[in-house]
């Protein structure tokens, strides 16, 4: 298996990307890499070129570039060339730590949607805490689409189910719909419609509505949401956790000597917590519903996180997570078309 | 000023409600109370009836009752009778710790909307942490309406501005729109439309989009959002903060002896943090846009929180927060009607 890597994306690119790929190369002997970037910058960073091919990309898409325009205009950028290599079959998956919008646009416009899928969804794995039975959960869409229709959320549920089963090891994952109450009649009209569809879908282990208050307690294995709400909740989880940790640190620093002593003793505990809350540890965000794995990791990711994300891609490829979805939508194309027509009435 | 109190609502009613009202009565000599409830239960709890009149209400609306049906059928409930007393002018404001949906329904259907306001919005005050310049912010709508239109969000901004100015003491409050990116073109179609309206509104200090990651850092003084997203973000903030605190406690308990020692030393710090994150301290949720203050505090509120919430109501009444809004919508009725018509084209 060969992975197309955008060497130029991310806050610490290309240095940390190259370092991460070297760790992954040493860790996964069966994986090969095409490293897309400006060779004069990338090559000096590479210690050992074994199973790593450098591919020259003259241009770089910056974090602040307008995504779709950047994809259309910067034809020689590392993101565009890497995505084209996946589309053309030279590589099996796409990885970047760069401009999220540009990565999504490259996935959609260059690699392309799986037949039968209306809107691919972006998914993130988040930690479950204080629950001995569950370690993590999956949420989608967390921002690929700001405007989603009920039919899109139904398809996110299927995409999430396959990912949770094949990559995360969940057996018949519990699908929950993020809503503002657990009762079936909660939410706006769109979410009430989604609740009905998911409730009658025979292939899904739908457990009903879940509230955002309960997500980190493991309310569901796969949390289905529209991209607008999902993005807000994801960023809120991150922001709140960081604020609480910072508040604790500041309170200790302003505190008494005993507080400071206590803090020193608690250092390993805090480290452990930050580690638990760091969802980049659980891998990158995956654009599900496109023809090959497209994975984006945090812009601030360093070498170790990048290597872990490569492990996640390897697992997607080994477990044929995309092929499973292609087969499902192929086998259910008539049903899916009928359902879509029915929902547009 | 006289406040209509639902003595039967909340997890610890009527005991903690009565105790809270007695604290408030002693603290605010200018406030009188009508206490609506089952007298045989309420009366034995009352130590001193000074400025507290008991009003018999045979029925109780339970937490699990379907709100609108309960308001329509339980005509002798404490919530219905208290709201009617406000509507009829016997009381100036309504307070309850009970069934949120029923309180909202009583506010809308019995007390009624201010002329010119399409949809009242529910607002909550949340803490700003790690920011020496700001202590709290206001967010609305946090769940009065699951389906909101851009015009409703524009009205929330006005309602929030007046509340922040007259009750919270903000001078020309910074209004932010909760969105999934700070750029003007972010979000779904509805939020892009709201951004345009708020940007051109001459009476608002609109600072643009704010992201949910930055709320607790004080990104805005008034955060405007649709009720679906606002509810999800509010519950997520609460859930994430609780989970992180619990994780810290568990990590310490499972930890070494030094960890436990450290924890003992840090106890005051943790207490301080829990206090800071406890948004019921900042008062109850206010239904803005109805003809009198309608305030709901947490179902789990105890006497001290209830007394604090009475202080908040007193401040709303003293500062004529409802009258200000009535005047504004009265003075701008033509403009508002034209804008609404324009947005429905």
């Amino acid at each position: 298996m060969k992975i197309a890597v955008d060497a130029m994306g991310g806050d610490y690119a290309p240095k940390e990307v190259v370092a991460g790929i070297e760790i992954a190369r040493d860790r996964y002997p069966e994986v090969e890499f095409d490293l897309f970037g400006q060779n004069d910058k990338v090559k000096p960073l590479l210690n050992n070129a074994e199973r790593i091919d450098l591919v020259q990309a003259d241009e770089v898409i910056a974090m602040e570039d307008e995504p779709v325009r950047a994809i259309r205009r910067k034809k020689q950028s590392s993101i565009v060339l890497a995505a084209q290599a996946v589309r053309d079959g030279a590589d099996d998956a796409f990885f970047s730590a760069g401009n999220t919008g540009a990565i999504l646009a490259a996935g959609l416009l260059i690699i392309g949607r799986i037949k039968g899928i209306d809107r691919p969804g972006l998914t993130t794995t988040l930690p479950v805490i204080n629950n001995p039975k569950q370690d993590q959960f999956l949420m989608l869409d967390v921002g690929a689409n700001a405007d989603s229709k009920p039919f899109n959320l139904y398809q996110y549920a299927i995409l999430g189910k396959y990912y949770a089963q094949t990559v995360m090891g969940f057996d018949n994952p519990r699908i929950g719909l993020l809503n503002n109450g657990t009762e079936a009649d909660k939410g706006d009209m769109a979410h009430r419609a989604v609740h009905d569809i998911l409730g009658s879908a025979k292939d899904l282990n739908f457990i009903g509505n879940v509230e955002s208050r309960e997500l980190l307690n493991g309310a569901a294995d796969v949390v289905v949401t529209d991209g607008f709400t999902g993005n807000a909740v994801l960023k809120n989880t991150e922001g709140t956790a960081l604020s609480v940790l910072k508040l604790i640190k500041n309170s200790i620093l302003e505190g008494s000597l005993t507080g400071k002593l206590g803090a020193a003793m608690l250092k390993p505990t805090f480290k452990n917590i930050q580690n638990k809350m760091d969802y980049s540890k659980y891998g990158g965000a995956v654009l599900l519903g496109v023809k090959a794995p497209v994975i984006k990791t945090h812009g601030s990711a360093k070498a170790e996180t990048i290597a872990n994300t490569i492990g996640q891609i390897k697992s997607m490829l080994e477990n044929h997570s995309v092929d499973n979805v292609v087969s499902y939508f192929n086998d259910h194309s008539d049903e899916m078309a009928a359902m879509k027509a029915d929902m547009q009435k």
Side-chain angles (χ1 to χ4, degrees), chain A residues 105-125:
Chain A
L108 289 169
L109 304 174
I110 300 173
I111 296 173
R113 288 176 292 141
I114 289 171
K115 199 179 161 213
I117 292 181
D118 255 36
R119 299 269 190 112
L122 188 65
T123 181
T124 299
T125 305

PDB file of all heavy atoms in Angstrom, chain A residues 105-125:
ATOM      1  N   ALA A 105     -11.988  19.881  -0.330  1.00  0.00           N
ATOM      2  CA  ALA A 105     -12.268  20.178  -1.737  1.00  0.00           C
ATOM      3  C   ALA A 105     -11.506  19.215  -2.641  1.00  0.00           C
ATOM      4  O   ALA A 105     -12.049  18.718  -3.640  1.00  0.00           O
ATOM      5  CB  ALA A 105     -11.900  21.631  -2.046  1.00  0.00           C
ATOM      6  N   ALA A 106     -10.252  18.905  -2.291  1.00  0.00           N
ATOM      7  CA  ALA A 106      -9.474  17.965  -3.102  1.00  0.00           C
ATOM      8  C   ALA A 106     -10.113  16.579  -3.068  1.00  0.00           C
ATOM      9  O   ALA A 106     -10.204  15.884  -4.085  1.00  0.00           O
ATOM     10  CB  ALA A 106      -8.027  17.903  -2.603  1.00  0.00           C
ATOM     11  N   GLY A 107     -10.584  16.188  -1.885  1.00  0.00           N
ATOM     12  CA  GLY A 107     -11.244  14.885  -1.753  1.00  0.00           C
ATOM     13  C   GLY A 107     -12.494  14.811  -2.616  1.00  0.00           C
ATOM     14  O   GLY A 107     -12.727  13.834  -3.339  1.00  0.00           O
ATOM     15  N   LEU A 108     -13.298  15.858  -2.557  1.00  0.00           N
ATOM     16  CA  LEU A 108     -14.565  15.861  -3.287  1.00  0.00           C
ATOM     17  C   LEU A 108     -14.381  16.036  -4.775  1.00  0.00           C
ATOM     18  O   LEU A 108     -14.991  15.330  -5.582  1.00  0.00           O
ATOM     19  CB  LEU A 108     -15.452  17.011  -2.785  1.00  0.00           C
ATOM     20  CG  LEU A 108     -16.035  16.836  -1.395  1.00  0.00           C
ATOM     21  CD1 LEU A 108     -16.657  18.143  -0.909  1.00  0.00           C
ATOM     22  CD2 LEU A 108     -17.084  15.723  -1.432  1.00  0.00           C
ATOM     23  N   LEU A 109     -13.535  17.018  -5.149  1.00  0.00           N
ATOM     24  CA  LEU A 109     -13.454  17.409  -6.553  1.00  0.00           C
ATOM     25  C   LEU A 109     -12.442  16.589  -7.334  1.00  0.00           C
ATOM     26  O   LEU A 109     -12.589  16.403  -8.541  1.00  0.00           O
ATOM     27  CB  LEU A 109     -13.116  18.901  -6.665  1.00  0.00           C
ATOM     28  CG  LEU A 109     -14.077  19.852  -5.940  1.00  0.00           C
ATOM     29  CD1 LEU A 109     -13.569  21.283  -5.996  1.00  0.00           C
ATOM     30  CD2 LEU A 109     -15.478  19.741  -6.539  1.00  0.00           C
ATOM     31  N   ILE A 110     -11.392  16.116  -6.682  1.00  0.00           N
ATOM     32  CA  ILE A 110     -10.360  15.373  -7.415  1.00  0.00           C
ATOM     33  C   ILE A 110     -10.523  13.864  -7.219  1.00  0.00           C
ATOM     34  O   ILE A 110     -10.648  13.115  -8.181  1.00  0.00           O
ATOM     35  CB  ILE A 110      -8.945  15.858  -7.007  1.00  0.00           C
ATOM     36  CG1 ILE A 110      -8.794  17.354  -7.318  1.00  0.00           C
ATOM     37  CG2 ILE A 110      -7.881  15.033  -7.728  1.00  0.00           C
ATOM     38  CD1 ILE A 110      -7.512  17.988  -6.816  1.00  0.00           C
ATOM     39  N   ILE A 111     -10.560  13.409  -5.987  1.00  0.00           N
ATOM     40  CA  ILE A 111     -10.697  11.962  -5.740  1.00  0.00           C
ATOM     41  C   ILE A 111     -12.133  11.523  -6.015  1.00  0.00           C
ATOM     42  O   ILE A 111     -12.372  10.494  -6.629  1.00  0.00           O
ATOM     43  CB  ILE A 111     -10.244  11.629  -4.299  1.00  0.00           C
ATOM     44  CG1 ILE A 111      -8.741  11.945  -4.177  1.00  0.00           C
ATOM     45  CG2 ILE A 111     -10.538  10.169  -3.948  1.00  0.00           C
ATOM     46  CD1 ILE A 111      -8.167  11.833  -2.791  1.00  0.00           C
ATOM     47  N   GLY A 112     -13.092  12.309  -5.592  1.00  0.00           N
ATOM     48  CA  GLY A 112     -14.491  12.064  -5.984  1.00  0.00           C
ATOM     49  C   GLY A 112     -15.295  11.210  -5.033  1.00  0.00           C
ATOM     50  O   GLY A 112     -14.757  10.393  -4.285  1.00  0.00           O
ATOM     51  N   ARG A 113     -16.605  11.431  -5.064  1.00  0.00           N
ATOM     52  CA  ARG A 113     -17.540  10.708  -4.205  1.00  0.00           C
ATOM     53  C   ARG A 113     -17.729   9.267  -4.652  1.00  0.00           C
ATOM     54  O   ARG A 113     -17.665   8.969  -5.846  1.00  0.00           O
ATOM     55  CB  ARG A 113     -18.912  11.394  -4.269  1.00  0.00           C
ATOM     56  CG  ARG A 113     -18.985  12.717  -3.562  1.00  0.00           C
ATOM     57  CD  ARG A 113     -20.355  13.344  -3.767  1.00  0.00           C
ATOM     58  NE  ARG A 113     -20.548  13.745  -5.148  1.00  0.00           N
ATOM     59  CZ  ARG A 113     -21.688  13.623  -5.810  1.00  0.00           C
ATOM     60  NH1 ARG A 113     -22.746  13.080  -5.233  1.00  0.00           N
ATOM     61  NH2 ARG A 113     -21.786  14.021  -7.055  1.00  0.00           N
ATOM     62  N   ILE A 114     -18.035   8.419  -3.703  1.00  0.00           N
ATOM     63  CA  ILE A 114     -18.459   7.049  -4.006  1.00  0.00           C
ATOM     64  C   ILE A 114     -19.844   7.134  -4.637  1.00  0.00           C
ATOM     65  O   ILE A 114     -20.680   7.929  -4.193  1.00  0.00           O
ATOM     66  CB  ILE A 114     -18.514   6.222  -2.703  1.00  0.00           C
ATOM     67  CG1 ILE A 114     -17.088   5.959  -2.190  1.00  0.00           C
ATOM     68  CG2 ILE A 114     -19.268   4.910  -2.907  1.00  0.00           C
ATOM     69  CD1 ILE A 114     -17.033   5.352  -0.807  1.00  0.00           C
ATOM     70  N   LYS A 115     -20.091   6.316  -5.632  1.00  0.00           N
ATOM     71  CA  LYS A 115     -21.382   6.333  -6.328  1.00  0.00           C
ATOM     72  C   LYS A 115     -22.523   6.084  -5.335  1.00  0.00           C
ATOM     73  O   LYS A 115     -22.476   5.137  -4.556  1.00  0.00           O
ATOM     74  CB  LYS A 115     -21.378   5.250  -7.414  1.00  0.00           C
ATOM     75  CG  LYS A 115     -22.438   5.484  -8.459  1.00  0.00           C
ATOM     76  CD  LYS A 115     -22.396   4.420  -9.539  1.00  0.00           C
ATOM     77  CE  LYS A 115     -23.737   4.430 -10.249  1.00  0.00           C
ATOM     78  NZ  LYS A 115     -24.126   3.103 -10.708  1.00  0.00           N
ATOM     79  N   GLY A 116     -23.523   6.945  -5.374  1.00  0.00           N
ATOM     80  CA  GLY A 116     -24.687   6.779  -4.493  1.00  0.00           C
ATOM     81  C   GLY A 116     -24.638   7.648  -3.256  1.00  0.00           C
ATOM     82  O   GLY A 116     -25.628   7.770  -2.546  1.00  0.00           O
ATOM     83  N   ILE A 117     -23.477   8.229  -2.989  1.00  0.00           N
ATOM     84  CA  ILE A 117     -23.363   9.089  -1.798  1.00  0.00           C
ATOM     85  C   ILE A 117     -23.517  10.551  -2.209  1.00  0.00           C
ATOM     86  O   ILE A 117     -22.784  11.042  -3.067  1.00  0.00           O
ATOM     87  CB  ILE A 117     -22.034   8.845  -1.065  1.00  0.00           C
ATOM     88  CG1 ILE A 117     -22.061   7.432  -0.467  1.00  0.00           C
ATOM     89  CG2 ILE A 117     -21.806   9.894   0.029  1.00  0.00           C
ATOM     90  CD1 ILE A 117     -20.856   7.050   0.304  1.00  0.00           C
ATOM     91  N   ASP A 118     -24.480  11.200  -1.594  1.00  0.00           N
ATOM     92  CA  ASP A 118     -24.776  12.596  -1.923  1.00  0.00           C
ATOM     93  C   ASP A 118     -23.716  13.548  -1.409  1.00  0.00           C
ATOM     94  O   ASP A 118     -23.247  14.428  -2.127  1.00  0.00           O
ATOM     95  CB  ASP A 118     -26.094  12.985  -1.257  1.00  0.00           C
ATOM     96  CG  ASP A 118     -27.210  13.064  -2.258  1.00  0.00           C
ATOM     97  OD1 ASP A 118     -27.191  12.235  -3.187  1.00  0.00           O
ATOM     98  OD2 ASP A 118     -28.077  13.940  -2.119  1.00  0.00           O
ATOM     99  N   ARG A 119     -23.412  13.399  -0.133  1.00  0.00           N
ATOM    100  CA  ARG A 119     -22.471  14.313   0.513  1.00  0.00           C
ATOM    101  C   ARG A 119     -21.547  13.528   1.426  1.00  0.00           C
ATOM    102  O   ARG A 119     -21.982  12.994   2.449  1.00  0.00           O
ATOM    103  CB  ARG A 119     -23.254  15.292   1.414  1.00  0.00           C
ATOM    104  CG  ARG A 119     -24.242  16.159   0.698  1.00  0.00           C
ATOM    105  CD  ARG A 119     -23.596  17.465   0.275  1.00  0.00           C
ATOM    106  NE  ARG A 119     -24.618  18.379  -0.199  1.00  0.00           N
ATOM    107  CZ  ARG A 119     -24.962  19.503   0.435  1.00  0.00           C
ATOM    108  NH1 ARG A 119     -24.363  19.841   1.564  1.00  0.00           N
ATOM    109  NH2 ARG A 119     -25.891  20.284  -0.053  1.00  0.00           N
ATOM    110  N   PRO A 120     -20.264  13.466   1.115  1.00  0.00           N
ATOM    111  CA  PRO A 120     -19.348  12.869   2.080  1.00  0.00           C
ATOM    112  C   PRO A 120     -19.368  13.662   3.387  1.00  0.00           C
ATOM    113  O   PRO A 120     -19.717  14.844   3.404  1.00  0.00           O
ATOM    114  CB  PRO A 120     -17.997  12.969   1.369  1.00  0.00           C
ATOM    115  CG  PRO A 120     -18.366  12.953  -0.095  1.00  0.00           C
ATOM    116  CD  PRO A 120     -19.622  13.773  -0.162  1.00  0.00           C
ATOM    117  N   GLY A 121     -19.039  13.009   4.482  1.00  0.00           N
ATOM    118  CA  GLY A 121     -19.053  13.659   5.794  1.00  0.00           C
ATOM    119  C   GLY A 121     -17.683  13.563   6.448  1.00  0.00           C
ATOM    120  O   GLY A 121     -16.961  12.578   6.269  1.00  0.00           O
ATOM    121  N   LEU A 122     -17.352  14.589   7.224  1.00  0.00           N
ATOM    122  CA  LEU A 122     -16.067  14.600   7.922  1.00  0.00           C
ATOM    123  C   LEU A 122     -16.283  14.034   9.319  1.00  0.00           C
ATOM    124  O   LEU A 122     -17.213  14.420  10.023  1.00  0.00           O
ATOM    125  CB  LEU A 122     -15.545  16.038   8.003  1.00  0.00           C
ATOM    126  CG  LEU A 122     -14.124  16.227   8.528  1.00  0.00           C
ATOM    127  CD1 LEU A 122     -13.096  15.596   7.599  1.00  0.00           C
ATOM    128  CD2 LEU A 122     -13.813  17.717   8.708  1.00  0.00           C
ATOM    129  N   THR A 123     -15.410  13.133   9.716  1.00  0.00           N
ATOM    130  CA  THR A 123     -15.602  12.460  10.991  1.00  0.00           C
ATOM    131  C   THR A 123     -14.372  12.582  11.878  1.00  0.00           C
ATOM    132  O   THR A 123     -13.255  12.637  11.388  1.00  0.00           O
ATOM    133  CB  THR A 123     -15.951  10.983  10.760  1.00  0.00           C
ATOM    134  OG1 THR A 123     -16.158  10.381  12.022  1.00  0.00           O
ATOM    135  CG2 THR A 123     -14.859  10.258  10.022  1.00  0.00           C
ATOM    136  N   THR A 124     -14.615  12.673  13.171  1.00  0.00           N
ATOM    137  CA  THR A 124     -13.528  12.738  14.146  1.00  0.00           C
ATOM    138  C   THR A 124     -13.794  11.735  15.245  1.00  0.00           C
ATOM    139  O   THR A 124     -14.937  11.489  15.600  1.00  0.00           O
ATOM    140  CB  THR A 124     -13.468  14.151  14.773  1.00  0.00           C
ATOM    141  OG1 THR A 124     -13.211  15.081  13.736  1.00  0.00           O
ATOM    142  CG2 THR A 124     -12.362  14.262  15.787  1.00  0.00           C
ATOM    143  N   THR A 125     -12.728  11.185  15.768  1.00  0.00           N
ATOM    144  CA  THR A 125     -12.835  10.293  16.910  1.00  0.00           C
ATOM    145  C   THR A 125     -12.562  11.104  18.167  1.00  0.00           C
ATOM    146  O   THR A 125     -11.603  11.858  18.231  1.00  0.00           O
ATOM    147  CB  THR A 125     -11.806   9.153  16.784  1.00  0.00           C
ATOM    148  OG1 THR A 125     -12.019   8.522  15.533  1.00  0.00           O
ATOM    149  CG2 THR A 125     -11.970   8.150  17.889  1.00  0.00           C
TER     150      THR A 125
END
